[in-house]
Amino acid sequence: MEDILFFLEIMGTVAFAISGAVLGIRKRMDIFGVSILGLTTGVGGGIIRDLIVGNNPPLTFQDPVYLVVSIITSIIVFLPVIRTWIFRETRFYEALMLLFDSIGLGIFTVNGIQTAYQSTNIHGIILLAFVGVITGCGGGVLRDMMAGDRPYIFVKHFYASASLLGALACILLWNRIGYGGAMLLGATSIVVLRLLAARNHWSLPKADLPEE
């Protein structure tokens, strides 16, 4: 079980790092900027999570495997042959990234809940849900802010909402079916919701402002 979770976490980290690196390339950043944006997206949510629950220094720096994976992924994306393929095969890239990103969102959300359970004596639903969502979405928010964009999760698609619903499912099932089953069902629900949202173009309502 732990080996499977680790593999899925690596997949999610790679997907997050690619999204950050591609945005850096689109913003005409150099290789350092692309690497930092990929790194921030890959591990940013986990760092915020650890600061909230009191893991100091953050686990990313205690076991830097995800940090290294994020940087290597970003450098690979920056290579001319890879970035040319990404921007040429747009549809295939977007489909692949949707799958990997959805898996990463699901895994990191429930991983954040597990970390909060293990690191604090406060198991209130608000704290656990917040830590779960921030672990899944925090890196993307930091990425967009560093790139000068409005955070993606606030303006497009059913993203943070899927993370929140999956987090709540995981929390409510935690003591009923055990942490393994709760994490599996929580992560699966997030992946399914993300894929359904992308297929059916689900978005939250937006306010209509009068024309000036």
Side-chain angles (χ1 to χ4, degrees), residues 13-14 16-26 28-44 66-79 139 143 146:
T13 300
V14 168
F16 285 176
I18 290 175
S19 72
V22 168
L23 181 58
I25 292 170
R26 284 177 171 155
R28 305 293 183 181
M29 296 181 182
D30 60 20
I31 189 170
F32 180 76
V34 168
S35 299
I36 292 299
L37 215 58
L39 172 64
T40 300
T41 314
V43 303
Y66 302 106
L67 184 151
V68 172
V69 167
S70 296
I71 293 177
I72 291 176
T73 299
S74 301
I75 293 173
I76 291 174
V77 170
F78 190 82
L79 296 175
R143 171 201 65 203
M146 291 176 67

Side-chain angles (χ1 to χ4, degrees), residues 41-65:
T41 314
V43 303
I47 291 176
I48 298 173
R49 172 203 66 205
D50 290 339
L51 294 175
I52 292 172
V53 302
N55 287 334
N56 191 31
L59 297 178
T60 294
F61 303 112
Q62 297 181 38
D63 182 10
V65 60

Side-chain angles (χ1 to χ4, degrees), residues 194-212:
R194 278 287 296 128
L195 295 179
L196 287 175
R199 177 182 177 83
N200 298 309
H201 306 289
W202 293 346
S203 291
L204 295 178
K206 296 182 176 67
D208 293 326
L209 297 178
E211 297 183 3
E212 296 183 356

Side-chain angles (χ1 to χ4, degrees), residues 167-179 181-183 185-186:
L168 292 174
C170 179
I171 294 165
L172 293 174
L173 293 171
W174 194 272
N175 293 322
R176 291 176 172 82
I177 64 174
Y179 79 92
M183 291 177 67
L185 289 176

